[in-house]
Amino acid sequence: MDNRQIQNTDPQIPAHPPALVQLEAVSKRFREGGTERVVLDRVTARINPGEIVALVGRSGSGKSTLLNLICGIEAPDAGRILVEGRRLDTLNERSRTLYRRRGVGFIYQFFNLIPTLTVAENVALPLELNGVPARERRRRVAARLAAVGLADRADAFPDRLSGGEQQRVAVARALAHEPPLLLADEPTGNLDAETGAQVMALLQRLVRHQGRTLVLVTHSPEVAVMADHVWELVDGRLQARGEA
Amino acid sequence: MTGLPARALVRDHRRHPWNLVFAVLGVALGVAIVVAVEIANSSASRAFELSMETITGRTTHQLIGGPGGLDEGLYTRLRREGFRDSAPVVEGHVRIQGETFTLLGLEPFAERPFRDHAVGGRDGRINRLITEPGTVMLAAPTAARLGLAEDETFFLTVGTTPHAVTLVGIVSTDEPGLGGYVLADIATAQDLFRRHGRLDRIDLILTDERQMARLREMLPPGVRLEAAEARTRATAELSRAFHVNLLAMSLLALLVGAFLIYNTLTFAVLRRRHLLGNLRMQGMTRASVFGLIIAEAALLGLVGSLLGLAAGVVIGQGLVQLVTRTVTDLYFVVTVTQLALGPAVILKGLLLGLGVTLIAALGPAWEAAGVSPREALRRSGLEHRVRRVLPWLVPAGGLLMLAGFMLVDWPGQGLLPGFFALFLLILGYACLIPPLVWLMARLLSGPLGLGFGVPGRLAARGIGAGISRSGLAATALAIAVSATVGVGIMVDSFRSSVGLWLGQTLQSDLYVSAPGRSGLGVNPVLPDDLPARVASLPSVAELSTARRVPLYTPRGPLELMAIDPSVQTPDGYVYLEGASPARIWQRLAAEEVILISEPLAWRKGIGVGDSLALPTDRGERTFEVVGVVQDYSAAQGMVTLHRTLYDRYWDDPGVAALRLSLAPGVSLESGLSQLRALAVTLDEPVLITAAGEIHAQSMAIFDRTFAVTHVLRLLTVGVAFIGILSALMALQLERAREHAVLRATGMTPWQLGGMVTLQSLLLGLAAGLAAIPLGILMSDVLIQVINQRSFGWSMIRTLPPAVPGEGLLLALTASLLAGAYPGYRMARVRPAEHLREA
């Protein structure tokens, strides 16, 4: 099955509604020593608003690279990336940073909270960068922390929290500025099964409730099953694995 | 700059206070040294200006004579001819309680139009000053400092002779310029300086050209009319080279400080790469990150500069004494009664500290802004990138050094190309250090593994694996150490050159001289018949005579040395230019030619075959230069001429020194005792000195002159030490997590402590060894460019083994200390804490 088949045969992708993210023949190569490795090979796909897409594949298959391309911290070697109809691959570094600031929330495997900021400050960071006034910022931080069940830990520093709690802060931070697109790189990879399930349930609930779009990379079938679409990266090509 | 990212960075500093403390300390020390030197320099210059202002008063012009001064009859003639605004002056140096003062002999009745405060006090006191011989007046703060009260009799020394004088008046003044003066009636001054009937100068107030023209017409030959201001400026200009040289030393310390600041800030960025990458991931732009780091550096620079200013004032107070002593030894007497701590000094210190910090922060800020969020979250990416850059550092460093070498040979007398060359050489060399460290770590991995087991192997490998940090630390360390090596070699080379020069110059066995050096008001001469009497002593084989006097030319003062040579005299010089010594001295005896010293040749840009105009008692005359000789005794320049030529153009028959060679078989002791026996029959005291004694005294003066450079070197060592400690401690503390993993894997605290210490020592050794060639290179530039262009003195570069040894010891001691603390800390803390922190 090639990439075009995904686009053409997927019944969940309507023919006309505007896609939130559209990848058109995107390729990415990395040079390792003297050899060049093709990580993504002419990948074409579209993600519609409100969808949850799970990316699966073996380690090193290019899943994280695909996320990096979608959030604009890497540029493709070939092909086009469109987000809300705007070409991402032609934006300069500053514009891509601003796009990431306003339009993307990121959740990492290793949480990547800022250790020297408190829980509330970590959640407030994207709001502050987006110029949200202080009063509104406080209101939203309180609301997000309440939503992830950590209202009582607002003044704690990240190293005082458990892994699950840290990831819930990361979820709150990713959603704080209400970005249309959420990217999660193995969000449960560093958590035990039970905590991972709790975090995923929370993430799914908030994403669905707020109508956000989520692209997540995972190795876990339990996580993948929550997605609307499951795409697998094999030899740099994207293959549809099925739907939830 | 937004609030939360800044807060994140500030809190990070709170978690790693050592880095912050060292960064602030680095800036503070660098600023402190420059401010201290600036305060010392400007205090000495300001004191000179103030004293000149006070003493010159409303004087517009001065009449100056030759070495013998002016006949006081000229003053009487002037008054008679209607030049009422004229005042005679006799001045000279005296010592009171070990402190040097200028004794000013004035005519109180003529003073009113010239100076308000120079002769103040109540009328009765002035009368006593005029009528009682041996009476003086002092400014109130000076009298208080010396613990002298009115009517108290005390001793002041002229040359080597103490004289009892009485303090008859204390001038109540807040003019600091009067602090270095002793005021006396002109007759008392003439008495003390044994210049009866002579004046040093006549001060005048002349306002119209016709008056000046009329005055010029009536002046006898050899007497010149000069503008007072120009003369003061020319004298002040003399010490400029010394002040510039001191500034160069302080800037070198600041340059070392700048590298250390760069190192500290780069470390701070590298350590926070993850944090910065995280902020970038959240949408912080490159410009914001750049601004954040620059703002952080500005704050750090400001705090460091303020602390540096405070420390600079304290150090400056000590330094000003050393600078004053050197200026007094080399150029003119200056007494500093107050520190020049104006807003300009404060502003300069602040701007310098802030400016250097910001320049040093540009690189790290650029690095921080360039951090790709993806790479920042992966440390290996950075190391991979740095390893790729390493081979390119070698040609880059080579090119920078080549440019530096080319700039060293830049023609002209300007110091700026020299400083820039020094900077390029240091920068170029700095590029070579990380590849060398990496290579060394690779080569030592095996042998250390054999010697120390796993910790040894890991210590070496850790340096190579973390080359982004270890390379930087080694570079900062090497530069800091090299500065101390460079300055150390320069001072030793200077000392050795002076020693060799003295060895060559002091050819005679014994020296007889009139006490005191000829100069301001002091005109020591030997009894007229002494040369003949000494020559007739059976122990004396031959002798030469010398007369050294200051000569005030319109372009500044210089020294004149008139020699009646002996056979040995031509061998007593180091000739840098000219024909054979014998031929030069033949011409000196027969023609109107002169020898000039190296600094004079450098400053005037003249050499053999050129001419030099000198004011003589017969008016200005031009003399051909037949040779250029080495001379370290007169910074302002020395002209040597034959006694017959001196007698032809100057009315100064005295002889101030005899240089004599003993007859074969006569011992030094026997020669000395014969001379001493002769000396006791004389009315005047004379000094009899052996060559060795003069050598020792001259070297003591040299050491005193360079005391200030030694202090600056010590301060540079201090900066270096702090820098080394900072760089290595930051390196080791930054690896806390790696060390925690090793502890968790089963390494004992002792093994870990040993590994950390060994790694620090290895880096210290690498940096210490790398610092030696750079130090030698630095000393070459300091000697051949900075010193040569500051003073005009050339010297032979020596390589005293102690200096590089000290540098290596400094590097190893600091690295041992820097390694010991993190080693101790890592051995004590629970690894889980560090594993959790990451």
Side-chain angles (χ1 to χ4, degrees):
Chain A
M1 198 182 289
D2 68 21
N3 294 331
R4 246 169 316 177
Q5 279 175 310
I6 288 181
Q7 191 182 7
N8 295 339
T9 57
D10 192 339
Q12 294 299 312
I13 303 172
H16 294 297
L20 181 71
V21 180
Q22 200 166 336
L23 307 174
E24 294 177 2
V26 170
S27 295
K28 184 74 185 170
R29 297 177 201 90
F30 285 115
R31 180 165 282 279
E32 284 172 358
T35 58
E36 197 174 65
R37 194 164 70 87
V38 178
V39 179
L40 298 175
D41 185 12
R42 286 167 290 147
V43 169
T44 298
R46 53 182 288 149
I47 301 162
N48 293 320
E51 286 182 344
I52 296 180
V53 174
L55 280 173
V56 296
R58 288 166 56 181
S59 295
S61 61
K63 306 182 295 292
S64 298
T65 303
L66 193 58
L67 283 197
N68 289 343
L69 288 169
I70 294 172
C71 76
I73 60 172
E74 276 187 72
D77 293 320
R80 304 197 314 164
I81 301 170
L82 288 94
V83 179
E84 294 179 307
R86 197 163 55 141
R87 277 190 69 174
L88 200 58
D89 54 287
T90 57
L91 293 181
N92 62 20
E93 210 285 325
R94 183 181 160 76
S95 303
R96 278 187 278 134
T97 303
L98 294 180
Y99 148 71
R100 198 162 59 239
R101 179 192 290 182
R102 291 172 194 142
V104 185
F106 221 110
I107 301 160
Y108 310 84
Q109 180 181 359
F110 293 104
F111 326 130
N112 279 337
L113 297 177
I114 293 183
T116 50
L117 294 182
T118 63
V119 163
E121 286 167 342
N122 263 286
V123 178
L125 182 63
L127 296 172
E128 187 179 294
L129 289 173
N130 278 296
V132 175
R135 175 181 278 193
E136 172 64 9
R137 211 155 63 210
R138 277 196 295 275
R139 191 190 64 75
R140 283 211 226 169
V141 168
R144 294 292 174 273
L145 285 179
V148 297
L150 288 171
D152 57 334
R153 307 301 304 271
D155 294 327
F157 281 93
D159 60 355
R160 298 292 123 199
L161 303 183
S162 69
E165 285 173 326
Q166 287 193 51
Q167 198 61 306
R168 276 148 65 195
V169 176
V171 169
R173 183 176 69 177
L175 287 165
H177 53 304
E178 298 172 0
L181 178 63
L182 253 88
L183 301 174
D185 194 352
E186 300 191 36
T188 60
N190 209 28
L191 303 173
D192 62 73
E194 193 183 330
T195 312
Q198 284 170 3
V199 168
M200 269 320 293
L202 172 73
L203 186 60
Q204 192 188 22
R205 181 164 54 80
L206 291 174
V207 166
R208 296 278 188 222
H209 178 70
Q210 294 177 15
R212 312 275 165 227
T213 303
L214 172 66
V215 181
L216 65 92
V217 165
T218 185
H219 285 289
S220 159
E222 289 81 11
V223 172
V225 84
M226 294 180 184
D228 300 319
H229 311 283
V230 180
W231 294 344
E232 184 176 10
L233 265 165
V234 180
D235 297 331
R237 298 290 185 106
L238 206 54
Q239 296 177 354
R241 279 271 298 261
E243 294 132 30
Chain B
M1 191 166 95
T2 44
L4 285 175
R7 202 178 296 173
L9 256 60
V10 169
R11 285 194 190 143
D12 183 77
H13 278 309
R14 235 183 270 162
R15 288 182 176 199
H16 301 91
W18 279 109
N19 294 311
L20 189 68
V21 167
F22 282 130
V24 171
L25 216 56
V27 180
L29 269 174
V31 170
I33 294 175
V34 177
V35 167
V37 168
E38 179 68 23
I39 287 175
N41 267 346
S42 51
S43 298
S45 304
R46 184 73 193 131
F48 175 74
E49 278 169 25
L50 284 173
S51 70
M52 282 294 130
E53 273 170 27
T54 308
I55 294 313
T56 307
R58 287 177 288 277
T59 305
T60 61
H61 291 79
Q62 291 171 335
L63 285 180
I64 313 286
L70 303 166
D71 190 316
E72 67 179 6
L74 179 64
Y75 171 63
T76 321
R77 240 184 90 201
L78 284 179
R79 303 284 292 193
R80 217 183 299 129
E81 292 289 331
F83 291 97
R84 310 300 293 179
D85 287 343
S86 54
V89 179
V90 168
E91 57 184 344
H93 298 155
V94 297
R95 290 181 77 78
I96 305 170
Q97 298 174 13
E99 204 178 316
T100 304
F101 291 86
T102 299
L103 185 136
L104 211 59
L106 304 166
E107 170 60 84
F109 295 127
E111 276 299 298
R112 186 70 51 209
F114 290 87
R115 289 158 274 255
D116 293 330
H117 307 289
V119 179
R122 283 166 285 165
D123 288 344
R125 304 282 182 257
I126 301 282
N127 283 343
R128 283 187 70 189
L129 198 70
I130 298 166
T131 55
E132 290 178 31
T135 52
V136 296
M137 290 171 78
L138 286 171
T142 311
R145 195 174 74 244
L146 296 171
L148 295 172
E150 265 194 31
D151 291 324
E152 192 173 339
T153 298
F154 62 98
F155 281 95
L156 56 75
T157 309
V158 179
T160 53
T161 316
H163 298 267
V165 290
T166 307
L167 182 65
V168 294
I170 290 176
V171 186
S172 304
T173 177
D174 50 3
E175 272 192 52
L178 209 55
Y181 286 89
V182 178
L183 305 174
D185 178 59
I186 197 145
T188 301
Q190 284 175 327
D191 235 19
L192 287 168
F193 299 129
R194 294 156 41 120
R195 290 169 67 76
H196 301 110
R198 308 300 295 178
L199 302 174
D200 282 302
R201 61 169 205 262
I202 298 171
D203 285 353
L204 296 159
I205 299 173
L206 296 174
T207 45
D208 73 272
E209 283 295 327
R210 273 187 309 132
Q211 226 184 352
M212 279 182 231
R214 195 162 70 85
L215 180 63
R216 277 201 187 93
E217 273 171 24
M218 61 176 283
L219 291 180
V223 177
R224 299 189 320 277
L225 177 69
E226 282 188 8
E229 197 189 328
R231 191 162 176 248
T232 304
R233 216 173 29 238
T235 310
E237 184 67 12
L238 268 185
S239 63
R240 200 183 66 88
F242 172 68
H243 293 304
V244 167
N245 198 264
L246 271 191
L247 193 68
M249 292 292 131
S250 67
L251 286 177
L252 185 65
L254 190 72
L255 184 68
V256 171
F259 269 98
L260 298 175
I261 295 165
Y262 169 79
N263 173 70
T264 310
L265 292 176
T266 306
F267 256 103
V269 166
L270 290 178
R271 191 172 46 72
R272 294 174 300 181
R273 264 176 83 85
H274 194 274
L275 171 69
L276 294 168
N278 213 332
L279 290 172
R280 291 269 295 118
M281 202 68 193
Q282 294 302 321
M284 205 168 163
T285 60
R286 283 184 200 278
S288 305
V289 171
F290 186 85
L292 193 64
I293 298 296
I294 289 291
E296 181 189 55
L299 194 67
L300 202 138
L302 186 70
V303 175
S305 301
L306 287 173
L307 286 175
L309 274 175
V313 173
V314 176
I315 301 170
Q317 274 169 343
L319 218 54
V320 77
Q321 305 303 328
L322 295 174
V323 169
T324 307
R325 208 167 58 185
T326 306
V327 171
T328 302
D329 278 345
L330 289 181
Y331 307 102
F332 41 76
V333 172
V334 64
T335 308
V336 178
T337 50
Q338 62 182 44
L339 287 186
L341 188 64
V345 173
I346 293 172
L347 198 69
K348 205 184 271 185
L350 273 179
L351 285 179
L352 209 61
L354 210 57
V356 166
T357 311
L358 286 178
I359 290 170
L362 282 179
W366 190 255
E367 159 74 23
V371 165
S372 130
R374 187 178 66 91
E375 269 197 13
L377 304 178
R378 264 193 354 216
R379 162 83 179 271
S380 64
L382 169 72
E383 296 303 337
H384 194 68
R385 200 153 54 92
V386 171
R387 268 201 294 277
R388 269 209 318 266
V389 171
L390 275 186
W392 293 101
L393 285 177
V394 177
L399 279 175
L400 282 169
M401 288 183 77
L402 191 68
F405 281 124
M406 284 163 76
L407 214 57
V408 163
D409 294 328
W410 193 268
Q413 299 197 351
L415 277 172
L416 202 64
F419 284 132
F420 196 55
L422 189 63
F423 177 70
L424 284 178
L425 287 172
I426 293 174
L427 204 64
Y429 195 89
C431 289
L432 305 181
I433 296 173
L436 280 174
V437 170
W438 183 78
L439 193 69
M440 186 202 78
R442 271 185 79 94
L443 293 176
L444 283 181
S445 170
L448 283 175
L450 284 175
F452 298 95
V454 176
R457 202 162 38 245
L458 282 177
R461 279 200 189 154
I463 292 174
I467 193 70
S468 67
R469 276 88 158 151
S470 51
L472 195 65
T475 307
L477 202 155
I479 287 170
V481 174
S482 68
T484 74
V485 172
V487 176
I489 292 176
M490 183 203 74
V491 174
D492 192 84
S493 301
F494 209 162
R495 200 175 190 282
S496 303
S497 300
V498 170
L500 282 173
W501 170 77
L502 280 171
Q504 178 79 29
T505 311
L506 300 171
Q507 291 276 324
S508 306
D509 298 314
L510 291 169
Y511 295 79
V512 180
S513 56
R517 198 173 113 180
S518 195
L520 197 65
V522 184
N523 192 25
V525 285
L526 294 169
D528 295 343
D529 62 341
L530 190 64
R533 290 179 67 189
V534 170
S536 68
L537 288 174
S539 58
V540 175
E542 59 161 11
L543 64 80
S544 66
T545 72
R547 172 77 167 138
R548 181 172 170 164
V549 288
L551 191 69
Y552 295 95
T553 78
R555 289 160 296 278
L558 48 83
E559 298 265 323
L560 206 62
M561 176 80 94
I563 304 271
D564 186 4
S566 66
V567 178
Q568 268 193 343
T569 302
D571 298 332
Y573 289 85
V574 179
Y575 300 87
L576 302 170
E577 258 187 74
S580 68
R583 175 68 192 135
I584 287 174
W585 282 89
Q586 262 173 12
R587 289 193 65 191
L588 283 169
E591 301 171 38
E592 297 203 341
V593 295
I594 53 171
L595 272 178
I596 59 169
S597 68
E598 191 187 15
L600 188 62
W602 170 260
R603 221 177 44 238
K604 302 231 179 259
I606 54 174
V608 170
D610 294 326
S611 298
L612 183 68
L614 296 173
T616 75
D617 290 347
R618 318 274 171 271
E620 191 174 271
R621 291 287 185 276
T622 303
F623 302 93
E624 189 196 334
V625 176
V626 285
V628 178
V629 290
Q630 208 172 35
D631 177 78
Y632 295 109
S633 69
Q636 61 269 51
M638 166 98 80
V639 170
T640 304
L641 72 171
H642 201 279
R643 182 76 210 200
T644 51
L645 187 63
Y646 184 68
D647 288 339
R648 198 177 304 153
Y649 287 105
W650 283 274
D651 301 322
D652 175 32
V655 164
L658 304 175
R659 302 162 175 182
L660 39 120
S661 305
L662 296 172
V666 177
S667 70
L668 201 64
E669 286 70 29
S670 133
L672 269 172
S673 58
Q674 279 193 27
L675 276 173
R676 281 182 188 138
L678 175 65
V680 293
T681 67
L682 302 171
D683 295 335
E684 306 293 333
V686 294
L687 288 175
I688 302 165
T689 332
E693 231 176 299
I694 296 181
H695 194 288
Q697 283 166 6
S698 304
M699 292 317 287
I701 291 174
F702 175 89
D703 289 337
R704 213 167 66 185
T705 307
F706 270 83
V708 60
T709 314
H710 276 299
V711 170
L712 283 182
R713 182 174 173 239
L714 281 179
L715 289 172
T716 311
V717 169
V719 176
F721 190 80
I722 295 290
I724 294 164
L725 215 60
S726 150
L728 291 180
M729 211 179 269
L731 180 75
Q732 295 298 1
L733 291 177
E734 198 246 353
R735 289 183 168 163
R737 187 164 188 271
E738 275 174 53
H739 297 156
V741 171
L742 289 172
R743 283 275 287 114
T745 316
M747 206 177 239
T748 65
W750 272 105
Q751 279 178 317
L752 185 67
M755 189 199 83
V756 169
T757 310
L758 186 63
Q759 202 171 58
S760 279
L761 272 175
L762 272 180
L763 271 179
L765 183 70
L769 289 174
I772 294 169
L774 180 60
I776 294 171
L777 201 64
M778 228 183 250
S779 69
D780 273 348
V781 178
L782 287 172
I783 290 168
Q784 286 168 21
V785 184
I786 311 286
N787 259 309
Q788 170 86 42
R789 290 184 186 184
S790 295
F791 300 110
W793 282 321
S794 63
M795 51 189 116
I796 310 150
R797 207 237 312 116
T798 58
L799 189 55
V803 174
E806 276 167 25
L808 200 59
L809 194 68
L810 169 73
L812 288 175
T813 311
S815 57
L816 190 67
L817 281 177
Y821 174 71
Y824 166 78
R825 219 182 86 155
M826 283 314 301
R828 280 174 62 92
V829 299
R830 287 181 302 121
E833 264 180 41
H834 286 287
L835 290 170
R836 188 182 169 84
E837 260 181 26

